[in-house]
Amino acid sequence: MQKISPFLWFDGNAEEAMNFYTSIFSDSRIESINRSGPEGKVISGTFLLNGMRYMALNGGPHFKFTPALSLFVNCESQEEVDTLWEKLSEGGQPQRCGWVQDKFGLSWQIIPTTLGELLNATDRVKAARVMNAMLGMQKIDIAALKQAYEG
């Protein structure tokens, strides 16, 4: 059993969010939905994204998501970056440096593993060029990062 799980607070659209997220990521599914009252209003639920458990609550309008908490997604290819960026930004708001806020207000970082590799290079001049390139991007472009690295 996963010891720690993110607990996400929604304003009446937890089921829609769970369906949205599980449609995007592989190895994902809704595990449970708790309903209340004769109309079967969703109160809470649990779902898996890439095998990691999340909890969702329809808690009302009292709290909103902020970028102070984001979900970091390691991507192996530009194709994966492009696909996730497109799907998560639909109805949401693209941000700088690989961040995107989805239509529910939750922030995601869609980051290729290449970025970390290049930023951690022993040649600090090359790594600095990569950092400067990344700072000018919204969606991360692996080819542009490699070009910046090579100078």
Side-chain angles (χ1 to χ4, degrees):
M1 177 180 217
Q2 185 175 306
K3 192 168 186 86
I4 299 173
S5 298
F7 190 96
L8 306 175
W9 181 295
F10 295 92
D11 183 12
N13 53 5
E15 185 173 23
E16 179 187 353
M18 289 187 290
N19 284 321
F20 178 68
Y21 298 142
T22 57
S23 74
I24 293 173
F25 294 94
S26 63
D27 189 20
S28 300
R29 70 180 186 282
I30 295 174
E31 288 190 310
S32 68
I33 295 180
N34 303 309
R35 299 180 185 276
S36 176
E39 63 279 343
K41 182 179 175 183
V42 172
I43 301 299
S44 64
T46 60
F47 60 104
L48 297 178
L49 296 182
N50 275 83
M52 183 175 170
R53 177 170 287 110
Y54 292 77
M55 302 172 80
L57 172 72
N58 274 330
H62 313 295
F63 300 107
K64 303 287 183 209
F65 294 119
T66 76
L69 178 107
S70 61
L71 300 179
F72 188 99
V73 183
N74 282 305
C75 298
E76 295 299 322
S77 68
Q78 187 67 52
E79 179 182 8
E80 186 179 14
V81 168
D82 294 346
T83 299
L84 292 175
W85 184 269
E86 180 181 321
K87 290 178 180 180
L88 288 168
S89 64
E90 184 178 307
Q93 180 68 38
Q95 306 287 315
R96 290 183 48 204
C97 304
W99 291 54
V100 62
Q101 188 177 70
D102 70 26
K103 63 184 174 181
F104 303 102
L106 185 59
S107 292
W108 299 80
Q109 294 183 60
I110 308 303
I111 307 297
T113 55
T114 304
L115 176 60
E117 294 164 2
L118 297 175
L119 288 175
N120 290 313
T122 55
D123 185 327
R124 301 313 306 153
V125 172
K126 289 182 175 185
R129 287 196 304 258
V130 171
M131 175 64 82
N132 286 334
M134 185 266 310
L135 290 173
M137 297 177 183
Q138 283 191 330
K139 178 178 72 173
I140 302 298
D141 180 334
I142 296 172
L145 293 176
K146 288 179 177 179
Q147 184 178 17
Y149 182 83
E150 294 303 326

mmCIF file of all heavy atoms in Angstrom, residues 8 10 17 20-22 24-25 47 49-50 54 65-67 69-73 84-85 87-89 93-111:
data_model
loop_
_atom_site.group_PDB
_atom_site.id
_atom_site.type_symbol
_atom_site.label_atom_id
_atom_site.label_comp_id
_atom_site.label_asym_id
_atom_site.label_seq_id
_atom_site.Cartn_x
_atom_site.Cartn_y
_atom_site.Cartn_z
ATOM 1 N N LEU A 8 -6.475 15.755 -3.378
ATOM 2 C CA LEU A 8 -6.827 16.915 -4.203
ATOM 3 C C LEU A 8 -8.245 17.399 -3.892
ATOM 4 O O LEU A 8 -9.191 16.617 -3.914
ATOM 5 C CB LEU A 8 -6.695 16.548 -5.684
ATOM 6 C CG LEU A 8 -5.337 15.976 -6.104
ATOM 7 C CD1 LEU A 8 -5.369 15.540 -7.562
ATOM 8 C CD2 LEU A 8 -4.224 16.973 -5.854
ATOM 9 N N PHE A 10 -11.474 19.553 -4.867
ATOM 10 C CA PHE A 10 -12.178 20.101 -6.029
ATOM 11 C C PHE A 10 -13.465 20.778 -5.590
ATOM 12 O O PHE A 10 -13.989 20.524 -4.509
ATOM 13 C CB PHE A 10 -12.498 18.990 -7.040
ATOM 14 C CG PHE A 10 -11.273 18.372 -7.662
ATOM 15 C CD1 PHE A 10 -10.679 17.251 -7.098
ATOM 16 C CD2 PHE A 10 -10.706 18.924 -8.791
ATOM 17 C CE1 PHE A 10 -9.545 16.683 -7.656
ATOM 18 C CE2 PHE A 10 -9.567 18.369 -9.366
ATOM 19 C CZ PHE A 10 -8.991 17.245 -8.788
ATOM 20 N N ALA A 17 -12.631 15.447 -13.071
ATOM 21 C CA ALA A 17 -11.176 15.511 -13.011
ATOM 22 C C ALA A 17 -10.568 14.107 -13.024
ATOM 23 O O ALA A 17 -9.605 13.845 -13.755
ATOM 24 C CB ALA A 17 -10.728 16.276 -11.769
ATOM 25 N N PHE A 20 -10.799 12.746 -16.468
ATOM 26 C CA PHE A 20 -9.859 13.463 -17.333
ATOM 27 C C PHE A 20 -8.440 12.939 -17.135
ATOM 28 O O PHE A 20 -7.765 12.556 -18.088
ATOM 29 C CB PHE A 20 -9.947 14.962 -17.028
ATOM 30 C CG PHE A 20 -9.008 15.830 -17.817
ATOM 31 C CD1 PHE A 20 -9.155 15.996 -19.185
ATOM 32 C CD2 PHE A 20 -7.983 16.516 -17.175
ATOM 33 C CE1 PHE A 20 -8.297 16.819 -19.913
ATOM 34 C CE2 PHE A 20 -7.124 17.337 -17.890
ATOM 35 C CZ PHE A 20 -7.278 17.485 -19.264
ATOM 36 N N TYR A 21 -7.985 12.904 -15.892
ATOM 37 C CA TYR A 21 -6.608 12.486 -15.610
ATOM 38 C C TYR A 21 -6.364 11.029 -16.006
ATOM 39 O O TYR A 21 -5.327 10.712 -16.592
ATOM 40 C CB TYR A 21 -6.258 12.693 -14.140
ATOM 41 C CG TYR A 21 -6.323 14.134 -13.694
ATOM 42 C CD1 TYR A 21 -6.800 14.470 -12.428
ATOM 43 C CD2 TYR A 21 -5.928 15.186 -14.516
ATOM 44 C CE1 TYR A 21 -6.874 15.789 -12.006
ATOM 45 C CE2 TYR A 21 -5.994 16.505 -14.104
ATOM 46 C CZ TYR A 21 -6.473 16.798 -12.843
ATOM 47 O OH TYR A 21 -6.545 18.107 -12.422
ATOM 48 N N THR A 22 -7.301 10.151 -15.695
ATOM 49 C CA THR A 22 -7.092 8.731 -16.024
ATOM 50 C C THR A 22 -7.157 8.475 -17.522
ATOM 51 O O THR A 22 -6.656 7.461 -17.992
ATOM 52 C CB THR A 22 -8.079 7.818 -15.278
ATOM 53 O OG1 THR A 22 -9.428 8.196 -15.582
ATOM 54 C CG2 THR A 22 -7.850 7.870 -13.768
ATOM 55 N N ILE A 24 -5.616 10.336 -19.652
ATOM 56 C CA ILE A 24 -4.364 10.873 -20.195
ATOM 57 C C ILE A 24 -3.174 9.954 -19.937
ATOM 58 O O ILE A 24 -2.329 9.779 -20.804
ATOM 59 C CB ILE A 24 -4.095 12.277 -19.602
ATOM 60 C CG1 ILE A 24 -5.159 13.258 -20.101
ATOM 61 C CG2 ILE A 24 -2.695 12.767 -19.946
ATOM 62 C CD1 ILE A 24 -5.093 14.619 -19.458
ATOM 63 N N PHE A 25 -3.091 9.399 -18.744
ATOM 64 C CA PHE A 25 -1.910 8.645 -18.333
ATOM 65 C C PHE A 25 -2.150 7.136 -18.412
ATOM 66 O O PHE A 25 -3.235 6.653 -18.086
ATOM 67 C CB PHE A 25 -1.513 9.023 -16.900
ATOM 68 C CG PHE A 25 -1.054 10.448 -16.783
ATOM 69 C CD1 PHE A 25 -1.942 11.444 -16.418
ATOM 70 C CD2 PHE A 25 0.261 10.793 -17.049
ATOM 71 C CE1 PHE A 25 -1.533 12.766 -16.316
ATOM 72 C CE2 PHE A 25 0.682 12.109 -16.950
ATOM 73 C CZ PHE A 25 -0.211 13.095 -16.591
ATOM 74 N N PHE A 47 -8.077 7.339 -7.270
ATOM 75 C CA PHE A 47 -7.715 6.971 -8.629
ATOM 76 C C PHE A 47 -6.215 6.784 -8.718
ATOM 77 O O PHE A 47 -5.455 7.262 -7.868
ATOM 78 C CB PHE A 47 -8.223 8.017 -9.638
ATOM 79 C CG PHE A 47 -7.690 9.407 -9.454
ATOM 80 C CD1 PHE A 47 -6.715 9.906 -10.296
ATOM 81 C CD2 PHE A 47 -8.190 10.243 -8.462
ATOM 82 C CE1 PHE A 47 -6.232 11.202 -10.152
ATOM 83 C CE2 PHE A 47 -7.720 11.541 -8.310
ATOM 84 C CZ PHE A 47 -6.732 12.027 -9.157
ATOM 85 N N LEU A 49 -2.767 7.145 -11.201
ATOM 86 C CA LEU A 49 -2.129 7.711 -12.386
ATOM 87 C C LEU A 49 -0.748 7.085 -12.468
ATOM 88 O O LEU A 49 0.050 7.241 -11.535
ATOM 89 C CB LEU A 49 -1.989 9.231 -12.287
ATOM 90 C CG LEU A 49 -3.264 10.050 -12.228
ATOM 91 C CD1 LEU A 49 -2.938 11.539 -12.178
ATOM 92 C CD2 LEU A 49 -4.165 9.748 -13.400
ATOM 93 N N ASN A 50 -0.501 6.364 -13.539
ATOM 94 C CA ASN A 50 0.760 5.634 -13.691
ATOM 95 C C ASN A 50 1.064 4.802 -12.445
ATOM 96 O O ASN A 50 2.199 4.730 -11.994
ATOM 97 C CB ASN A 50 1.922 6.578 -13.987
ATOM 98 C CG ASN A 50 2.035 6.880 -15.450
ATOM 99 O OD1 ASN A 50 1.331 7.760 -15.936
ATOM 100 N ND2 ASN A 50 2.883 6.173 -16.166
ATOM 101 N N TYR A 54 -4.034 8.609 -5.928
ATOM 102 C CA TYR A 54 -4.446 9.966 -5.583
ATOM 103 C C TYR A 54 -5.835 9.881 -4.961
ATOM 104 O O TYR A 54 -6.599 8.969 -5.259
ATOM 105 C CB TYR A 54 -4.539 10.859 -6.831
ATOM 106 C CG TYR A 54 -3.210 11.137 -7.471
ATOM 107 C CD1 TYR A 54 -2.578 10.184 -8.263
ATOM 108 C CD2 TYR A 54 -2.574 12.361 -7.283
ATOM 109 C CE1 TYR A 54 -1.353 10.437 -8.846
ATOM 110 C CE2 TYR A 54 -1.349 12.623 -7.873
ATOM 111 C CZ TYR A 54 -0.746 11.651 -8.648
ATOM 112 O OH TYR A 54 0.469 11.904 -9.219
ATOM 113 N N PHE A 65 -6.400 25.368 -5.989
ATOM 114 C CA PHE A 65 -5.031 24.945 -6.252
ATOM 115 C C PHE A 65 -4.168 26.173 -6.510
ATOM 116 O O PHE A 65 -4.647 27.184 -7.020
ATOM 117 C CB PHE A 65 -4.967 24.051 -7.501
ATOM 118 C CG PHE A 65 -5.660 22.735 -7.333
ATOM 119 C CD1 PHE A 65 -6.730 22.391 -8.141
ATOM 120 C CD2 PHE A 65 -5.230 21.812 -6.383
ATOM 121 C CE1 PHE A 65 -7.363 21.177 -8.011
ATOM 122 C CE2 PHE A 65 -5.857 20.591 -6.244
ATOM 123 C CZ PHE A 65 -6.933 20.266 -7.056
ATOM 124 N N THR A 66 -2.891 26.075 -6.173
ATOM 125 C CA THR A 66 -1.916 27.103 -6.514
ATOM 126 C C THR A 66 -0.683 26.402 -7.081
ATOM 127 O O THR A 66 -0.478 25.214 -6.825
ATOM 128 C CB THR A 66 -1.480 27.957 -5.300
ATOM 129 O OG1 THR A 66 -0.581 27.188 -4.493
ATOM 130 C CG2 THR A 66 -2.662 28.432 -4.480
ATOM 131 N N PRO A 67 0.162 27.125 -7.804
ATOM 132 C CA PRO A 67 1.401 26.523 -8.308
ATOM 133 C C PRO A 67 2.390 26.151 -7.196
ATOM 134 O O PRO A 67 3.426 25.551 -7.471
ATOM 135 C CB PRO A 67 1.987 27.605 -9.215
ATOM 136 C CG PRO A 67 0.845 28.493 -9.556
ATOM 137 C CD PRO A 67 -0.080 28.443 -8.369
ATOM 138 N N LEU A 69 2.088 23.898 -5.271
ATOM 139 C CA LEU A 69 2.150 22.446 -5.357
ATOM 140 C C LEU A 69 1.892 22.077 -6.814
ATOM 141 O O LEU A 69 0.905 22.517 -7.398
ATOM 142 C CB LEU A 69 1.094 21.776 -4.473
ATOM 143 C CG LEU A 69 1.155 20.266 -4.618
ATOM 144 C CD1 LEU A 69 1.749 19.622 -3.399
ATOM 145 C CD2 LEU A 69 -0.183 19.709 -4.971
ATOM 146 N N SER A 70 2.804 21.315 -7.380
ATOM 147 C CA SER A 70 2.626 20.880 -8.765
ATOM 148 C C SER A 70 2.966 19.405 -8.859
ATOM 149 O O SER A 70 3.638 18.852 -7.982
ATOM 150 C CB SER A 70 3.526 21.692 -9.708
ATOM 151 O OG SER A 70 4.881 21.499 -9.379
ATOM 152 N N LEU A 71 2.487 18.777 -9.921
ATOM 153 C CA LEU A 71 2.800 17.376 -10.188
ATOM 154 C C LEU A 71 3.858 17.339 -11.279
ATOM 155 O O LEU A 71 3.654 17.876 -12.367
ATOM 156 C CB LEU A 71 1.538 16.621 -10.596
ATOM 157 C CG LEU A 71 0.432 16.631 -9.539
ATOM 158 C CD1 LEU A 71 -0.802 15.877 -10.036
ATOM 159 C CD2 LEU A 71 0.905 16.050 -8.221
ATOM 160 N N PHE A 72 4.991 16.728 -10.976
ATOM 161 C CA PHE A 72 6.146 16.682 -11.865
ATOM 162 C C PHE A 72 6.090 15.386 -12.656
ATOM 163 O O PHE A 72 6.014 14.301 -12.075
ATOM 164 C CB PHE A 72 7.425 16.729 -11.022
ATOM 165 C CG PHE A 72 8.687 16.883 -11.809
ATOM 166 C CD1 PHE A 72 9.277 18.124 -11.943
ATOM 167 C CD2 PHE A 72 9.296 15.791 -12.407
ATOM 168 C CE1 PHE A 72 10.464 18.277 -12.656
ATOM 169 C CE2 PHE A 72 10.474 15.927 -13.120
ATOM 170 C CZ PHE A 72 11.056 17.178 -13.247
ATOM 171 N N VAL A 73 6.108 15.489 -13.991
ATOM 172 C CA VAL A 73 6.037 14.317 -14.857
ATOM 173 C C VAL A 73 7.343 14.198 -15.635
ATOM 174 O O VAL A 73 7.677 15.073 -16.434
ATOM 175 C CB VAL A 73 4.844 14.415 -15.839
ATOM 176 C CG1 VAL A 73 4.750 13.143 -16.669
ATOM 177 C CG2 VAL A 73 3.538 14.652 -15.084
ATOM 178 N N LEU A 84 1.400 15.067 -23.599
ATOM 179 C CA LEU A 84 0.912 15.464 -22.271
ATOM 180 C C LEU A 84 0.635 16.961 -22.207
ATOM 181 O O LEU A 84 -0.358 17.398 -21.622
ATOM 182 C CB LEU A 84 1.908 15.052 -21.190
ATOM 183 C CG LEU A 84 2.054 13.554 -20.978
ATOM 184 C CD1 LEU A 84 3.147 13.248 -19.965
ATOM 185 C CD2 LEU A 84 0.735 12.928 -20.556
ATOM 186 N N TRP A 85 1.511 17.751 -22.809
ATOM 187 C CA TRP A 85 1.327 19.209 -22.825
ATOM 188 C C TRP A 85 0.009 19.569 -23.504
ATOM 189 O O TRP A 85 -0.772 20.372 -22.991
ATOM 190 C CB TRP A 85 2.498 19.856 -23.547
ATOM 191 C CG TRP A 85 2.450 21.350 -23.535
ATOM 192 C CD1 TRP A 85 1.876 22.168 -24.463
ATOM 193 C CD2 TRP A 85 2.977 22.216 -22.534
ATOM 194 N NE1 TRP A 85 2.027 23.483 -24.110
ATOM 195 C CE2 TRP A 85 2.701 23.537 -22.925
ATOM 196 C CE3 TRP A 85 3.668 21.988 -21.347
ATOM 197 C CZ2 TRP A 85 3.082 24.636 -22.169
ATOM 198 C CZ3 TRP A 85 4.055 23.089 -20.595
ATOM 199 C CH2 TRP A 85 3.755 24.388 -21.008
ATOM 200 N N LYS A 87 -2.694 17.701 -24.025
ATOM 201 C CA LYS A 87 -3.879 17.229 -23.298
ATOM 202 C C LYS A 87 -4.112 18.013 -22.007
ATOM 203 O O LYS A 87 -5.244 18.385 -21.706
ATOM 204 C CB LYS A 87 -3.758 15.740 -23.002
ATOM 205 C CG LYS A 87 -3.876 14.900 -24.255
ATOM 206 C CD LYS A 87 -3.719 13.423 -23.965
ATOM 207 C CE LYS A 87 -3.858 12.617 -25.253
ATOM 208 N NZ LYS A 87 -3.706 11.177 -24.999
ATOM 209 N N LEU A 88 -3.061 18.261 -21.243
ATOM 210 C CA LEU A 88 -3.234 18.955 -19.962
ATOM 211 C C LEU A 88 -3.510 20.445 -20.135
ATOM 212 O O LEU A 88 -4.150 21.055 -19.283
ATOM 213 C CB LEU A 88 -2.005 18.738 -19.073
ATOM 214 C CG LEU A 88 -1.873 17.328 -18.513
ATOM 215 C CD1 LEU A 88 -0.492 17.122 -17.892
ATOM 216 C CD2 LEU A 88 -2.977 17.030 -17.507
ATOM 217 N N SER A 89 -3.046 21.035 -21.233
ATOM 218 C CA SER A 89 -3.291 22.469 -21.422
ATOM 219 C C SER A 89 -4.662 22.746 -22.044
ATOM 220 O O SER A 89 -5.119 23.888 -22.035
ATOM 221 C CB SER A 89 -2.183 23.103 -22.265
ATOM 222 O OG SER A 89 -2.166 22.577 -23.565
ATOM 223 N N GLN A 93 -4.066 26.580 -18.851
ATOM 224 C CA GLN A 93 -3.213 27.733 -19.116
ATOM 225 C C GLN A 93 -1.749 27.301 -19.173
ATOM 226 O O GLN A 93 -1.174 26.930 -18.156
ATOM 227 C CB GLN A 93 -3.399 28.761 -17.991
ATOM 228 C CG GLN A 93 -2.583 30.005 -18.148
ATOM 229 C CD GLN A 93 -3.028 30.844 -19.326
ATOM 230 O OE1 GLN A 93 -4.209 30.959 -19.606
ATOM 231 N NE2 GLN A 93 -2.083 31.422 -20.028
ATOM 232 N N PRO A 94 -1.125 27.352 -20.363
ATOM 233 C CA PRO A 94 0.315 27.069 -20.442
ATOM 234 C C PRO A 94 1.095 28.084 -19.612
ATOM 235 O O PRO A 94 0.722 29.253 -19.538
ATOM 236 C CB PRO A 94 0.641 27.220 -21.921
ATOM 237 C CG PRO A 94 -0.667 27.079 -22.625
ATOM 238 C CD PRO A 94 -1.696 27.624 -21.680
ATOM 239 N N GLN A 95 2.158 27.623 -18.998
ATOM 240 C CA GLN A 95 3.013 28.479 -18.183
ATOM 241 C C GLN A 95 4.435 28.407 -18.737
ATOM 242 O O GLN A 95 4.680 27.727 -19.723
ATOM 243 C CB GLN A 95 2.989 28.000 -16.723
ATOM 244 C CG GLN A 95 1.598 27.876 -16.117
ATOM 245 C CD GLN A 95 0.952 29.201 -15.817
ATOM 246 O OE1 GLN A 95 1.593 30.089 -15.268
ATOM 247 N NE2 GLN A 95 -0.299 29.356 -16.161
ATOM 248 N N ARG A 96 5.360 29.039 -18.086
ATOM 249 C CA ARG A 96 6.772 29.019 -18.496
ATOM 250 C C ARG A 96 7.480 27.793 -17.949
ATOM 251 O O ARG A 96 7.049 27.189 -16.970
ATOM 252 C CB ARG A 96 7.487 30.262 -17.974
ATOM 253 C CG ARG A 96 7.047 31.522 -18.676
ATOM 254 C CD ARG A 96 7.812 32.731 -18.213
ATOM 255 N NE ARG A 96 9.245 32.481 -18.201
ATOM 256 C CZ ARG A 96 10.105 33.136 -17.455
ATOM 257 N NH1 ARG A 96 9.702 34.081 -16.656
ATOM 258 N NH2 ARG A 96 11.398 32.861 -17.497
ATOM 259 N N CYS A 97 8.573 27.444 -18.603
ATOM 260 C CA CYS A 97 9.538 26.448 -18.114
ATOM 261 C C CYS A 97 8.938 25.051 -17.944
ATOM 262 O O CYS A 97 9.302 24.315 -17.031
ATOM 263 C CB CYS A 97 10.163 26.908 -16.807
ATOM 264 S SG CYS A 97 10.952 28.524 -16.914
ATOM 265 N N GLY A 98 8.011 24.686 -18.828
ATOM 266 C CA GLY A 98 7.442 23.345 -18.782
ATOM 267 C C GLY A 98 6.243 23.177 -17.876
ATOM 268 O O GLY A 98 5.734 22.074 -17.725
ATOM 269 N N TRP A 99 5.789 24.246 -17.272
ATOM 270 C CA TRP A 99 4.630 24.178 -16.380
ATOM 271 C C TRP A 99 3.356 24.424 -17.184
ATOM 272 O O TRP A 99 3.334 25.239 -18.106
ATOM 273 C CB TRP A 99 4.713 25.229 -15.287
ATOM 274 C CG TRP A 99 5.787 25.002 -14.265
ATOM 275 C CD1 TRP A 99 7.111 24.812 -14.513
ATOM 276 C CD2 TRP A 99 5.634 24.962 -12.860
ATOM 277 N NE1 TRP A 99 7.783 24.674 -13.327
ATOM 278 C CE2 TRP A 99 6.903 24.763 -12.292
ATOM 279 C CE3 TRP A 99 4.538 25.102 -12.016
ATOM 280 C CZ2 TRP A 99 7.117 24.679 -10.925
ATOM 281 C CZ3 TRP A 99 4.749 25.021 -10.654
ATOM 282 C CH2 TRP A 99 6.016 24.804 -10.116
ATOM 283 N N VAL A 100 2.304 23.755 -16.791
ATOM 284 C CA VAL A 100 0.986 23.994 -17.366
ATOM 285 C C VAL A 100 -0.045 23.845 -16.243
ATOM 286 O O VAL A 100 0.074 22.973 -15.391
ATOM 287 C CB VAL A 100 0.689 23.028 -18.550
ATOM 288 C CG1 VAL A 100 0.683 21.580 -18.116
ATOM 289 C CG2 VAL A 100 -0.608 23.382 -19.244
ATOM 290 N N GLN A 101 -1.012 24.752 -16.239
ATOM 291 C CA GLN A 101 -2.111 24.656 -15.289
ATOM 292 C C GLN A 101 -3.296 24.079 -16.046
ATOM 293 O O GLN A 101 -3.699 24.620 -17.074
ATOM 294 C CB GLN A 101 -2.441 26.037 -14.726
ATOM 295 C CG GLN A 101 -3.447 26.007 -13.600
ATOM 296 C CD GLN A 101 -3.659 27.393 -13.049
ATOM 297 O OE1 GLN A 101 -4.244 28.238 -13.723
ATOM 298 N NE2 GLN A 101 -3.185 27.640 -11.846
ATOM 299 N N ASP A 102 -3.841 22.955 -15.570
ATOM 300 C CA ASP A 102 -4.936 22.309 -16.289
ATOM 301 C C ASP A 102 -6.264 23.031 -16.051
ATOM 302 O O ASP A 102 -6.327 24.014 -15.306
ATOM 303 C CB ASP A 102 -5.014 20.810 -15.961
ATOM 304 C CG ASP A 102 -5.482 20.498 -14.550
ATOM 305 O OD1 ASP A 102 -6.212 21.297 -13.926
ATOM 306 O OD2 ASP A 102 -5.126 19.410 -14.044
ATOM 307 N N LYS A 103 -7.308 22.551 -16.683
ATOM 308 C CA LYS A 103 -8.613 23.217 -16.617
ATOM 309 C C LYS A 103 -9.235 23.208 -15.224
ATOM 310 O O LYS A 103 -10.191 23.925 -14.962
ATOM 311 C CB LYS A 103 -9.574 22.607 -17.635
ATOM 312 C CG LYS A 103 -9.910 21.148 -17.409
ATOM 313 C CD LYS A 103 -10.785 20.641 -18.534
ATOM 314 C CE LYS A 103 -11.047 19.158 -18.445
ATOM 315 N NZ LYS A 103 -11.884 18.716 -19.575
ATOM 316 N N PHE A 104 -8.682 22.416 -14.302
ATOM 317 C CA PHE A 104 -9.163 22.384 -12.924
ATOM 318 C C PHE A 104 -8.318 23.271 -12.004
ATOM 319 O O PHE A 104 -8.608 23.399 -10.823
ATOM 320 C CB PHE A 104 -9.170 20.945 -12.396
ATOM 321 C CG PHE A 104 -10.002 20.027 -13.241
ATOM 322 C CD1 PHE A 104 -9.396 19.166 -14.143
ATOM 323 C CD2 PHE A 104 -11.383 20.051 -13.178
ATOM 324 C CE1 PHE A 104 -10.153 18.334 -14.950
ATOM 325 C CE2 PHE A 104 -12.148 19.231 -13.979
ATOM 326 C CZ PHE A 104 -11.542 18.373 -14.868
ATOM 327 N N GLY A 105 -7.245 23.852 -12.566
ATOM 328 C CA GLY A 105 -6.375 24.719 -11.791
ATOM 329 C C GLY A 105 -5.156 24.032 -11.207
ATOM 330 O O GLY A 105 -4.330 24.675 -10.562
ATOM 331 N N LEU A 106 -5.007 22.719 -11.425
ATOM 332 C CA LEU A 106 -3.870 21.972 -10.903
ATOM 333 C C LEU A 106 -2.655 22.201 -11.801
ATOM 334 O O LEU A 106 -2.763 22.142 -13.028
ATOM 335 C CB LEU A 106 -4.209 20.482 -10.837
ATOM 336 C CG LEU A 106 -3.180 19.559 -10.198
ATOM 337 C CD1 LEU A 106 -2.882 19.960 -8.759
ATOM 338 C CD2 LEU A 106 -3.667 18.113 -10.254
ATOM 339 N N SER A 107 -1.509 22.470 -11.197
ATOM 340 C CA SER A 107 -0.273 22.733 -11.945
ATOM 341 C C SER A 107 0.518 21.446 -12.154
ATOM 342 O O SER A 107 0.644 20.621 -11.246
ATOM 343 C CB SER A 107 0.610 23.739 -11.199
ATOM 344 O OG SER A 107 -0.010 25.001 -11.187
ATOM 345 N N TRP A 108 1.044 21.315 -13.363
ATOM 346 C CA TRP A 108 1.857 20.170 -13.765
ATOM 347 C C TRP A 108 3.167 20.695 -14.320
ATOM 348 O O TRP A 108 3.200 21.738 -14.967
ATOM 349 C CB TRP A 108 1.151 19.385 -14.876
ATOM 350 C CG TRP A 108 -0.171 18.816 -14.487
ATOM 351 C CD1 TRP A 108 -1.365 19.478 -14.418
ATOM 352 C CD2 TRP A 108 -0.440 17.470 -14.133
ATOM 353 N NE1 TRP A 108 -2.357 18.620 -14.041
ATOM 354 C CE2 TRP A 108 -1.822 17.367 -13.861
ATOM 355 C CE3 TRP A 108 0.358 16.316 -14.030
ATOM 356 C CZ2 TRP A 108 -2.423 16.178 -13.485
ATOM 357 C CZ3 TRP A 108 -0.249 15.134 -13.656
ATOM 358 C CH2 TRP A 108 -1.619 15.071 -13.385
ATOM 359 N N GLN A 109 4.236 19.934 -14.122
ATOM 360 C CA GLN A 109 5.510 20.205 -14.770
ATOM 361 C C GLN A 109 5.761 19.052 -15.736
ATOM 362 O O GLN A 109 5.917 17.909 -15.306
ATOM 363 C CB GLN A 109 6.641 20.274 -13.745
ATOM 364 C CG GLN A 109 6.508 21.448 -12.792
ATOM 365 C CD GLN A 109 7.683 21.505 -11.854
ATOM 366 O OE1 GLN A 109 8.825 21.625 -12.292
ATOM 367 N NE2 GLN A 109 7.414 21.424 -10.570
ATOM 368 N N ILE A 110 5.769 19.352 -17.015
ATOM 369 C CA ILE A 110 5.963 18.336 -18.055
ATOM 370 C C ILE A 110 7.412 18.481 -18.523
ATOM 371 O O ILE A 110 7.737 19.336 -19.354
ATOM 372 C CB ILE A 110 4.953 18.541 -19.209
ATOM 373 C CG1 ILE A 110 3.526 18.625 -18.667
ATOM 374 C CG2 ILE A 110 5.099 17.431 -20.231
ATOM 375 C CD1 ILE A 110 3.082 17.421 -17.838
ATOM 376 N N ILE A 111 8.276 17.640 -17.967
ATOM 377 C CA ILE A 111 9.714 17.840 -18.088
ATOM 378 C C ILE A 111 10.400 16.606 -18.675
ATOM 379 O O ILE A 111 10.296 15.508 -18.120
ATOM 380 C CB ILE A 111 10.334 18.148 -16.706
ATOM 381 C CG1 ILE A 111 9.612 19.321 -16.024
ATOM 382 C CG2 ILE A 111 11.834 18.393 -16.824
ATOM 383 C CD1 ILE A 111 9.706 20.643 -16.751
#
